[in-house]
Amino acid sequence: MKKPYLITAALVAFIAISGFSQVDFGIRYDKSTESFIVSLYPLETYTLPNNLTATAQITIKTPAGTFEPSDVKGLYPGIDWEYNSRADAPREESKYDYLSFALINPGLLHLPLEEGKELPILSFKNGAGCNGTVALVDNATDPFMAPNSKNVNIGNTIAILGAGAEAYRGIKGPKEVDCATLTSATDLAEQVEDFDIYPVPAQRDLTLEVDWTGEKEAVRAEIRDVAGRLVTVKVIELIQGNNTYNFDVSNLAAGSYLLSLRGSEWNVSLDKFQKIKF
């Protein structure tokens, strides 16, 4: 039996003075295993004792009534997860269900957290089949973050000693994936390295910035309303590196919209945004 790593008074003091978020989460769909995979993306390397990890939670949101988690698996030795809570169609976001997975951990884990290296930690399937999108909850913008109408604790979190306990920073790559639109196990998040949409909410113009690591490609940038209707389409050319594009949204009605990119053999949802009157 492995002995637990002792946290000394000095380490406790270290936690108190060094709190900064240094780990992103990412989600992708592996068509070969029909599984959704959540990974960690450390922004720096942690070694003992700074890589000690005790607690973590991952929350996804799916269109209401479309998802039943199955085959929940930890992807690193010593890591086990459980599907532990569900909030269906809350009034703050009634078109979605929220599902959370928690780390089952009898002690402190020593995770191999290396700067810039993906660490897959959780996989799960949809027992209802390929049946819609799956998104990581955005802690900063999701309307159902606590306090909420169902009194549940949702959101993404991970406690790592070297990051001052809470290490979660944000989402790397697309926030939302769709098993029906990915044609292979290729992780499109590796091509859409990072992106930003602003201003949010938008009035007249919307700007998309994309860091693209794939080959030069002409793609369709599509804006759809909450019913899935295509309201705007623009052909853009992605080149390796940073790409910036502007969209005129002045004629759109006030409401919620989704921006996605569609290539010749793939489609990836980027993010939702709000359009307001001006």
Side-chain angles (χ1 to χ4, degrees):
M1 180 179 295
K2 294 183 179 179
K3 296 181 179 179
Y5 196 94
L6 297 179
I7 300 180
T8 66
L11 292 179
V12 172
F14 178 79
I15 291 177
I17 64 174
S18 63
F20 53 96
S21 301
Q22 288 291 303
V23 176
D24 290 338
F25 288 7
I27 189 168
R28 57 187 170 90
Y29 181 72
D30 187 335
K31 197 172 183 67
S32 64
T33 61
E34 298 182 338
S35 299
F36 295 90
I37 296 174
V38 178
S39 297
L40 303 182
Y41 294 87
L43 277 70
E44 67 174 61
T45 298
Y46 294 95
T47 57
L48 276 173
N50 291 332
N51 65 344
L52 293 174
T53 304
T55 61
Q57 176 176 277
I58 294 167
T59 302
I60 62 170
K61 61 188 296 186
T62 64
T66 64
F67 205 95
E68 293 296 334
S70 65
D71 295 324
V72 178
K73 297 177 182 178
L75 299 179
Y76 184 79
I79 291 183
D80 293 311
W81 296 81
E82 64 176 351
Y83 162 49
N84 70 338
S85 71
R86 180 182 192 122
D88 289 340
R91 69 166 183 257
E92 295 90 338
E93 191 79 316
S94 60
K95 290 181 170 55
Y96 294 92
D97 297 335
Y98 290 78
L99 301 87
S100 291
F101 305 84
L103 181 66
I104 305 172
N105 185 17
L108 295 172
L109 298 171
H110 305 167
L111 295 179
L113 300 171
E114 299 182 29
E115 179 182 358
K117 184 175 180 180
E118 178 189 8
L119 177 62
I121 56 171
L122 169 67
S123 72
F124 54 88
K125 297 181 179 181
N126 186 357
C130 185
N131 196 23
T133 60
V134 176
L136 284 174
V137 163
D138 188 329
N139 289 10
T141 63
D142 197 279
F144 190 54
M145 291 296 293
N148 53 52
S149 60
K150 291 185 178 286
N151 295 316
V152 295
N153 179 29
I154 70 159
N156 302 307
T157 182
I158 184 167
I160 298 175
L161 180 62
E166 179 55 63
Y168 176 75
R169 188 185 74 150
I171 299 171
K172 180 180 176 64
K175 297 177 183 179
E176 183 178 85
V177 293
D178 188 341
C179 58
T181 58
L182 299 182
T183 58
S184 71
T186 300
D187 181 9
L188 292 177
E190 292 180 358
Q191 297 184 55
V192 181
E193 181 69 16
D194 200 4
F195 69 92
D196 192 17
I197 297 173
Y198 60 89
V200 177
Q203 288 184 307
R204 297 177 182 271
D205 299 295
L206 185 74
T207 299
L208 167 65
E209 291 188 6
V210 179
D211 287 333
W212 178 255
T213 61
E215 297 296 323
K216 180 178 178 181
E217 183 174 354
V219 306
R220 286 163 51 98
E222 300 179 343
I223 296 177
R224 296 179 181 272
D225 63 17
V226 292
R229 294 184 293 259
L230 182 66
V231 295
T232 300
V233 61
K234 181 177 182 178
V235 177
I236 63 176
E237 187 172 73
L238 294 176
I239 60 174
Q240 288 191 354
N242 183 261
N243 299 260
T244 302
Y245 304 96
N246 295 313
F247 301 87
D248 180 2
V249 295
S250 60
N251 291 328
L252 297 182
S256 298
Y257 296 89
L258 174 67
L259 177 62
S260 63
L261 299 179
R262 184 180 298 274
S264 58
E265 296 182 346
W266 57 267
N267 180 49
V268 58
S269 298
L270 294 181
D271 207 356
K272 290 183 173 65
F273 67 92
Q274 291 291 322
K275 166 64 169 61
I276 60 175
K277 294 180 180 179
F278 59 88

